[in-house]
Amino acid sequence: MNLELRHLKVVCAIAETGSVTKAASQLGLAQPALTAQLQRIERTLGGPLFERDRRGARPTALGELVLSRARVLLPAMKGLQDEAARLAGASGSETMSRYRVGALGGPILGGMIYRLSMAQPDAQITTHASYYVEELATMLQGGKLDYAQVGVCGDAMPAADYGLVWQTVAVDAVCVLMPDDHPATKEVDVDLAELAHEQWVGSTGDGCFAECFAAACARAGFTPRRVLETDVRGCVDMVESGLALGLCQPTFRPPAGLTSRPIRTAPLRWRQVLGWHPESPAARSAPKLIEMAQAAYQEVVARNPLYVEWTRDYPHLGGGSVENMTSLSAT
């Protein structure tokens, strides 16, 4: 692993807060995810950066060295990015002619790009696919993308150390993907506790979803037997073969022979967000892109009428509540 600026920001956050737990909260990450990231950074640098005990985290000699360099590099890089963004914004027009959109995939992206193409048929539109939110956020920060359409777990937002704006498109309950003849399909939703004997599969990505799923299972009274990870096609293959049940979004269209049901009481949620840099030219067109993303979501979720009906008992879900329109600036 190569050391990057985001890694230096992690080290600084832990030193400033004196705690991995507090640093995780400040950065908008789950504590296990931040701990794993710190361990990767320490392996890259060749030794521990902090001494950790019940009183908190204190820098080692190696940690002090890294902090001394980070406190010079990070402000200098932020200044460079701010000046470059202002220069780029000053030379732009009110209407963008080029759109570079990154995404984790899914039907919202297709609907948004279709609407953008219809509104500006002469615009140059390119897309970049990734499994990882951090990769897309880094590309946004570095000016390689104008927008990123991503999903994050539950009430989380992408990490706060990129200086980006993230606005919610929709919040949905996580669903279980299973064969049509599975006993759990008889109900409008599934009781997670009744699936304690199952194996599970989900798509690849970063963030805290694995930890959140394990916590939801623990609240339901069991530890999941096994959680496999692969791409979307691999997930479908495993569900079709009967090897595992899948975890999916309600906007996912199951192939013939499979169906999905939301988990009862929505203990797991998935938040679709659109991000951009607040000082880039893309910020001026962001309201238009948000409107297109929300329209795309409404169109695709309508293809799952059972889920739409189910959400009537969960007004905090979907794309139309006040909460779901909140814009968060991670500065």
Side-chain angles (χ1 to χ4, degrees):
M1 183 185 80
N2 294 322
L3 196 65
E4 300 175 10
L5 289 177
R6 60 189 177 91
H7 298 138
L8 298 181
K9 292 176 181 178
V10 165
V11 175
C12 287
I14 295 172
E16 290 166 2
T17 61
S19 162
V20 173
T21 301
K22 292 178 181 178
S25 176
Q26 176 179 300
L27 297 174
L29 296 173
Q31 189 269 333
L34 185 61
T35 298
Q37 191 172 85
L38 175 60
Q39 290 170 347
R40 291 194 295 270
I41 295 170
E42 290 178 329
R43 285 196 298 269
T44 298
L45 293 172
L49 301 182
F50 296 93
E51 295 177 354
R52 297 169 60 189
D53 55 29
R54 288 180 296 178
R55 292 176 293 175
R58 298 178 303 282
T60 61
L62 177 58
E64 292 287 3
L65 172 63
V66 174
L67 284 167
S68 67
R69 302 297 174 86
R71 286 164 177 160
V72 174
L73 287 171
L74 292 176
M77 184 57 68
K78 183 64 167 62
L80 173 61
Q81 291 170 341
D82 290 346
E83 291 177 17
R86 283 193 292 271
L87 179 62
S91 61
S93 62
E94 287 300 315
T95 301
M96 293 174 61
S97 60
R98 181 184 69 171
Y99 296 84
R100 299 166 299 170
V101 184
L104 301 184
I108 292 179
L109 174 67
M112 182 175 68
I113 296 301
Y114 171 78
R115 287 166 171 76
L116 183 58
S117 299
M118 292 298 99
Q120 289 184 242
D122 296 328
Q124 179 185 352
I125 304 172
T126 57
T127 57
H128 176 84
S130 172
Y131 286 121
Y132 302 105
V133 175
E134 283 198 13
E135 177 188 349
L136 296 175
T138 299
M139 293 179 72
L140 272 181
Q141 187 185 48
K144 295 180 181 179
L145 290 176
D146 299 306
Y147 303 96
Q149 194 272 301
V150 305
V152 290
C153 184
D155 299 323
M157 294 297 283
D161 57 350
Y162 292 99
L164 305 173
V165 171
W166 299 96
Q167 182 160 329
T168 299
V169 175
V171 179
D172 278 316
V174 172
C175 297
V176 177
L177 181 68
M178 52 194 158
D180 286 340
D181 59 359
H182 192 284
T185 62
K186 297 177 182 179
E187 303 290 338
V188 296
D189 53 17
V190 297
D191 184 348
L192 194 57
E194 295 180 358
L195 303 176
H197 62 286
E198 300 281 2
Q199 295 191 122
W200 299 88
V201 63
S203 58
T204 302
D206 52 12
C208 59
F209 183 78
E211 291 84 358
C212 291
F213 176 64
C217 292
R219 290 193 296 271
F222 71 97
T223 300
R225 289 176 55 198
R226 181 187 295 173
V227 182
L228 304 170
E229 185 177 287
T230 183
D231 59 17
V232 174
R233 182 63 253 179
C235 291
V236 169
D237 289 342
M238 290 185 189
V239 176
E240 287 180 330
S241 71
L243 176 64
L245 297 185
L247 296 164
C248 70
Q249 302 169 41
T251 52
F252 176 73
R253 285 186 284 182
L258 300 184
T259 191
S260 68
R261 293 289 187 275
I263 301 174
R264 191 170 301 160
T265 73
L268 284 170
R269 296 172 301 283
W270 193 250
R271 182 181 297 266
Q272 300 281 358
V273 299
L274 185 71
W276 62 90
H277 197 291
E279 296 181 4
S280 71
R284 293 193 296 271
S285 296
K288 174 177 66 178
L289 269 291
I290 283 290
E291 182 179 344
M292 291 177 178
Q294 290 170 341
Y297 167 80
Q298 295 294 348
E299 179 182 38
V300 74
V301 80
R303 300 170 187 161
N304 190 344
L306 289 177
Y307 174 77
V308 173
E309 180 65 25
W310 180 83
T311 59
R312 296 185 187 279
D313 292 329
Y314 300 89
H316 60 290
L317 299 177
S321 70
V322 174
E323 174 198 359
N324 292 343
M325 301 301 178
T326 301
S327 174
L328 287 89
S329 178
T331 55

